[in-house]
Amino acid sequence: MAFLNDNYFKLKAGYLFPEIGRRVKAFGEANPEAAKRIIRCGIGDVTEPLPAAVTAAMHKAVDDMATREQFHGYGPEQGYEWLRQAIAEHDYRAKGIEVAADEIFVSDGSKCDCGNILDILGSQNKVAITDPVYPVYVDTNVMAGHTGEADESGAYAGLVYLKCTAENGFVAEPPKEHVDVIYLCFPNNPTGAVATRAQLEAWVAYAKEHQSVILYDAAYEAYISDPAVPHSIYEIPGAREVAIEFRSFSKNGGFTGTRCAFIVVPKTLLASTAKGEHKPLHPLWARRHTTKFNGVSYVVQRGAEAIYTPEGKQQVKALLDHYMGNAKILREAAAAVGLRVYGGVNAPYIWVSTPAGTTSWQMFDRMLNEANVVITPGSGFGAMGEGYFRISAFNSRANAEEVARRMKAIQW
Amino acid sequence: MAFLNDNYFKLKAGYLFPEIGRRVKAFGEANPEAAKRIIRCGIGDVTEPLPAAVTAAMHKAVDDMATREQFHGYGPEQGYEWLRQAIAEHDYRAKGIEVAADEIFVSDGSKCDCGNILDILGSQNKVAITDPVYPVYVDTNVMAGHTGEADESGAYAGLVYLKCTAENGFVAEPPKEHVDVIYLCFPNNPTGAVATRAQLEAWVAYAKEHQSVILYDAAYEAYISDPAVPHSIYEIPGAREVAIEFRSFSKNGGFTGTRCAFIVVPKTLLASTAKGEHKPLHPLWARRHTTKFNGVSYVVQRGAEAIYTPEGKQQVKALLDHYMGNAKILREAAAAVGLRVYGGVNAPYIWVSTPAGTTSWQMFDRMLNEANVVITPGSGFGAMGEGYFRISAFNSRANAEEVARRMKAIQW
């Protein structure tokens, strides 16, 4: 008989957002009137239209596909050269960062890339994640058989959890022990924290010493407002020898429903075979990407390219300003009612302490019942998220203002 | 130190099509004039514009993305309900086949699905593939560590190879031995062969007896012209208990550069845990798909939906007629010069015996040098493909006619 991958049965009761969806649905069925005024600040999904430069480019690309002369069939799996060049030029070289176009692999999403990267890594690696954490890092390691069972707190045996707390500003220090693979995400989802240059230097130094690989998720880099905070791990000398970087058009260009992202695998990044030979990861990822993936839609890549035009950049900036304006309103509202507030300055997420004695899910239910606002319970991101909740700034201005009003109307 | 997935080093010298690309490039550099008249009948990539119904739907969808009211962020990872319903209705229920919308998972390509499906299967499975075969089935099993090393013929230890020859009409019978997972592809890439109802019944009976899982790749089903030939494995009673089906919009709607496909995982399909419990595959695939994938672009899904409109169906039929008209021209040309010809009747691929004493790659080089036509060497699909070459019918009519002329001009 055919066998299943038993590792899937280790996964805890489902991904966070389906659980939120279930509770919101149940609330709506029980309270059909209140359901009409629900405002969603849960999942980090953009709400504003695509930049005009992007839709114009996509229209033109659709027209291309309607003529024999301009039709595009299979493209290069790694992405069209014009998009890889635009990324290398605008996101890296223009900022003095050394990344070549052929080190960039265009994909249909960072979520996919974060999961797929495990394909080329050995199963004997010791993996470290932060707590709280974007659940996909954990779940994909569970599925790949890199962990044991979860304990009562939801922590999986075999993973190294790096605690992020108010005390360390939600930026974990490198561990005392040895780990082979480390997931870092800055600006952080869910806490909105950013790492300083010195903190990233400490991580790169650790990775060099331990010959570890850092998986650096920079999907929210466009939201950094502090000029001293690095946007890319490659701003740190030596990072090209130890880090893979994940980037996305979802949160800058509003591509969550359009789907385009990329990953940087420097040719200078090595890891070990079982026998101890050091070999580059780049050709393995190239083989993986060309064998198990067939490139991003031509129309979508043309849309992504438009983000790098002068108009595109201006329109993206307006989008970012819009969402960060929301973040300010939401931050200030949470602070005004006496809650301790983190994030929301260099990231579109506000990370808020629940009132004493209130758990994250209790807070979720209260916000849903009393304010008809959907937030994300911090405990959904890991044990250390207990006692916090996340408010997403992805919304219309009117909704952000209304959420602020409703928060102030609750008896805290 | 971080470890690599060593299985990648077992992979033979690269995927077939990069090698073809390399030889064509080298030829072009040595013969810049001849390079200008090269006609590509190698990779199975469509050449004709997207159907007008599709581009109209995509334009409308881009317009949706340009307004706040109609903007679409993250969609359901499994695909929009309207697309899953359209697929279930038109591809299955209208043809009397039982497939529910929630058994359909929309993806960005069959190549991806074929590779990703291994994520939910155990590594202890005995895997059977046909020879010749679409290389992705093999390579993804090698990468996943399901094989040993390759021998001189390119065959990997641990895989069961089912020989497809002129004698069995390129349709393998079920093996005498036990296998857990079987890849079948009909209409076949590369041979163009189709399986009769009786042949598929034998496979379903085998799979029921052995409790195996059939991975049924039906990416080319739209090209079937013989009304007696099944389009779906689910036309065979009992197949819902043993088979997963892969379908694509690439070859009917011309979506190779637009990217949309789907996979059917019946809820009635079970496999075993290591301890011998029988459990459905559907929830595992749902978990995999929602955790490691974020849905297909809204604009692309709207395009795919348009294929099921009356105009869309008519335009797809015209596309299919066009390519199958090419297939007829190419078949007849190859036969006219005395070669033995297979396929090309229910599939857009013509499978041709090389002249006695000529290897597949020699034939590739001859066609490139003497006719400036790129074909695919049969041996690239496996040891049993030696002595054959594949001609793709995906081309303009003018090119198909020119290839026919040039083939006739060669001294055979």
Side-chain angles (χ1 to χ4, degrees):
Chain A
M1 180 162 202
F3 289 98
L4 298 163
N5 177 355
D6 279 21
N7 294 306
Y8 276 63
F9 300 108
K10 295 176 193 164
L11 289 164
K12 297 308 259 184
Y15 188 56
L16 171 61
F17 293 105
E19 171 62 19
I20 291 177
R22 213 146 46 87
R23 292 198 188 207
V24 173
K25 196 174 169 216
F27 173 80
E29 283 164 3
N31 307 278
E33 276 312 306
K36 290 179 192 161
R37 57 195 297 274
I38 285 178
I39 299 177
R40 290 166 197 274
C41 299
I43 188 168
D45 192 6
V46 296
T47 58
E48 303 308 297
L50 289 177
V54 170
T55 53
M58 290 177 76
H59 275 305
K60 185 171 177 307
V62 173
D63 284 337
D64 286 348
M65 298 299 265
T67 68
R68 187 165 208 292
E69 294 65 36
Q70 296 300 321
F71 180 77
H72 284 70
Y74 290 121
E77 290 94 342
Q78 301 92 330
Y80 281 101
E81 193 58 23
W82 34 261
L83 180 55
R84 300 169 88 191
Q85 289 286 0
I87 293 167
E89 179 55 35
H90 295 272
D91 281 327
Y92 295 105
R93 285 200 298 265
K95 296 168 183 171
I97 305 166
E98 180 194 351
V99 167
D102 65 357
E103 295 176 322
I104 292 163
F105 296 81
V106 178
S107 81
D108 65 329
S110 281
K111 183 168 149 186
C112 319
D113 286 334
C114 288
N116 292 338
I117 194 69
L118 295 179
D119 278 12
I120 64 164
L121 296 173
S123 55
Q124 67 275 60
N125 287 313
K126 190 86 179 166
V127 176
I129 56 149
T130 61
D131 180 4
V133 72
Y134 177 48
V136 169
Y137 309 154
V138 178
D139 291 357
T140 52
N141 272 286
V142 176
M143 293 170 174
H146 298 171
T147 74
E149 299 286 343
D151 66 17
E152 280 180 17
S153 77
Y156 290 92
L159 290 182
V160 174
Y161 288 82
L162 308 172
K163 293 183 182 179
C164 297
T165 62
E167 288 65 42
N168 64 19
F170 303 101
V171 178
E173 279 173 30
K176 300 273 176 278
E177 67 194 292
H178 170 84
V179 297
D180 301 301
V181 175
I182 306 135
Y183 290 84
L184 294 179
C185 174
F186 295 112
N188 189 256
N189 176 12
T191 68
V194 286
T196 63
R197 182 171 301 273
Q199 288 170 322
L200 291 181
E201 282 168 355
W203 271 111
V204 170
Y206 174 91
K208 291 203 110 168
E209 183 190 339
H210 289 266
Q211 300 188 289
S212 323
V213 171
I214 294 173
L215 302 176
Y216 193 77
D217 184 348
Y220 296 92
E221 63 78 29
Y223 289 87
I224 294 171
S225 61
D226 182 340
V229 171
H231 287 240
S232 166
I233 187 74
Y234 304 121
E235 294 181 43
I236 310 303
R240 283 181 53 85
E241 280 75 54
V242 296
I244 287 171
E245 183 161 288
F246 301 87
R247 290 275 189 108
S248 172
F249 297 102
S250 283
K251 309 300 162 95
N252 57 354
F255 269 47
T256 54
T258 303
R259 314 302 316 137
C260 200
F262 61 91
I263 175 175
V264 179
V265 184
K267 292 189 189 154
T268 40
L269 172 62
L270 308 183
S272 179
T273 65
K275 286 186 185 159
E277 290 172 281
H278 293 194
K279 298 208 173 192
L281 283 162
H282 187 278
L284 271 67
W285 183 252
R287 192 58 153 84
R288 195 265 168 219
H289 200 75
T290 52
T291 305
K292 294 181 76 172
F293 184 64
N294 232 329
V296 171
S297 182
Y298 168 72
V299 172
V300 171
Q301 290 192 62
R302 282 293 186 200
E305 184 192 25
I307 282 180
Y308 296 104
T309 60
E311 317 84 67
K313 284 182 182 178
Q314 206 168 14
Q315 291 157 6
V316 165
K317 186 176 179 308
L319 267 181
L320 299 172
D321 287 348
H322 167 81
Y323 291 127
M324 289 312 287
N326 290 348
K328 185 164 185 288
I329 290 164
L330 294 164
R331 263 182 70 84
E332 289 175 357
V337 300
L339 299 174
R340 273 190 306 159
V341 179
Y342 308 90
V345 175
N346 293 296
Y349 295 125
I350 299 110
W351 187 242
V352 189
S353 284
T354 58
T358 308
T359 68
S360 296
W361 276 109
Q362 283 167 348
M363 194 65 217
F364 174 87
D365 290 334
R366 253 192 96 182
M367 285 288 280
L368 182 59
N369 279 283
E370 298 178 27
N372 308 139
V373 169
V374 180
I375 49 88
T376 307
S379 59
F381 297 103
M384 297 307 293
E386 183 54 86
Y388 293 93
F389 63 103
R390 189 189 77 175
I391 313 178
S392 160
F394 292 114
N395 229 316
S396 66
R397 181 57 46 85
N399 274 352
E401 286 167 350
E402 176 64 15
V403 169
R405 266 193 298 276
R406 292 189 197 169
M407 282 183 75
K408 289 176 189 167
I410 292 180
Q411 190 67 42
W412 290 93
Chain B
M1 179 163 204
F3 289 96
L4 297 164
N5 177 355
D6 279 20
N7 295 305
Y8 276 63
F9 300 109
K10 296 176 191 163
L11 288 164
K12 297 308 258 187
Y15 189 57
L16 171 61
F17 294 106
E19 171 62 22
I20 291 177
R22 214 147 45 88
R23 291 197 189 206
V24 173
K25 196 173 170 217
F27 174 80
E29 284 165 3
N31 307 278
E33 277 311 306
K36 290 180 192 161
R37 56 194 298 274
I38 284 178
I39 299 178
R40 290 166 197 273
C41 298
I43 189 168
D45 192 6
V46 296
T47 57
E48 303 307 299
L50 289 177
V54 170
T55 53
M58 290 177 76
H59 274 305
K60 185 171 177 309
V62 173
D63 285 336
D64 287 348
M65 299 299 266
T67 71
R68 187 167 208 291
E69 294 66 35
Q70 296 301 321
F71 180 76
H72 284 71
Y74 289 122
E77 290 94 341
Q78 302 90 333
Y80 280 101
E81 192 59 21
W82 34 261
L83 180 55
R84 300 169 89 193
Q85 289 286 0
I87 293 167
E89 179 55 35
H90 294 272
D91 281 327
Y92 295 105
R93 286 200 297 268
K95 295 170 181 169
I97 304 166
E98 182 194 350
V99 167
D102 66 356
E103 295 176 323
I104 292 164
F105 297 80
V106 177
S107 80
D108 65 328
S110 282
K111 182 168 148 185
C112 319
D113 287 334
C114 287
N116 293 337
I117 194 69
L118 295 179
D119 279 11
I120 65 164
L121 297 173
S123 55
Q124 67 276 60
N125 288 312
K126 189 87 179 167
V127 176
I129 56 149
T130 59
D131 180 5
V133 72
Y134 176 49
V136 169
Y137 309 153
V138 177
D139 290 356
T140 53
N141 273 286
V142 175
M143 292 170 175
H146 297 171
T147 74
E149 299 286 343
D151 66 17
E152 280 181 16
S153 78
Y156 290 93
L159 290 182
V160 174
Y161 288 82
L162 308 172
K163 292 183 182 177
C164 297
T165 61
E167 288 65 44
N168 64 19
F170 303 101
V171 178
E173 280 172 30
K176 300 275 176 276
E177 68 193 292
H178 171 83
V179 298
D180 300 302
V181 174
I182 305 134
Y183 290 84
L184 294 179
C185 173
F186 295 113
N188 188 256
N189 175 13
T191 68
V194 286
T196 63
R197 181 170 300 272
Q199 287 170 323
L200 291 181
E201 281 168 356
W203 271 110
V204 169
Y206 174 92
K208 291 203 110 170
E209 185 192 338
H210 289 266
Q211 301 187 286
S212 323
V213 171
I214 295 172
L215 302 175
Y216 194 77
D217 184 347
Y220 295 92
E221 62 78 29
Y223 289 88
I224 295 171
S225 60
D226 181 341
V229 171
H231 287 240
S232 167
I233 187 74
Y234 303 121
E235 294 181 43
I236 310 302
R240 281 180 55 83
E241 281 73 54
V242 297
I244 288 171
E245 184 162 289
F246 301 87
R247 291 274 190 109
S248 171
F249 297 102
S250 284
K251 309 298 163 93
N252 57 355
F255 268 48
T256 53
T258 303
R259 313 302 316 139
C260 199
F262 61 92
I263 175 175
V264 180
V265 184
K267 293 189 189 152
T268 40
L269 172 62
L270 308 182
S272 179
T273 65
K275 286 184 184 158
E277 290 172 283
H278 293 194
K279 299 210 173 190
L281 284 163
H282 186 277
L284 271 67
W285 184 252
R287 192 58 152 82
R288 195 264 166 220
H289 201 75
T290 52
T291 305
K292 294 180 74 172
F293 184 64
N294 233 330
V296 171
S297 181
Y298 168 73
V299 172
V300 172
Q301 289 192 62
R302 282 293 186 201
E305 184 191 25
I307 282 180
Y308 296 103
T309 59
E311 318 81 69
K313 284 182 184 181
Q314 207 168 12
Q315 291 157 6
V316 165
K317 187 176 177 309
L319 268 180
L320 300 172
D321 288 347
H322 167 81
Y323 292 127
M324 290 311 288
N326 290 348
K328 185 164 183 288
I329 290 164
L330 295 163
R331 262 183 71 83
E332 290 175 355
V337 300
L339 300 173
R340 273 189 306 158
V341 179
Y342 308 90
V345 174
N346 293 296
Y349 294 125
I350 299 111
W351 187 242
V352 189
S353 284
T354 59
T358 308
T359 69
S360 296
W361 277 110
Q362 283 169 347
M363 193 67 218
F364 174 87
D365 290 334
R366 254 194 95 181
M367 286 287 281
L368 182 58
N369 280 284
E370 297 178 27
N372 307 139
V373 169
V374 180
I375 50 88
T376 309
S379 58
F381 299 102
M384 297 305 294
E386 182 54 86
Y388 293 92
F389 65 103
R390 188 189 79 174
I391 313 177
S392 159
F394 292 114
N395 229 315
S396 66
R397 181 57 46 86
N399 274 352
E401 286 168 348
E402 175 65 15
V403 170
R405 265 193 297 276
R406 292 189 196 169
M407 282 183 77
K408 289 176 189 166
I410 292 180
Q411 189 68 40
W412 290 93

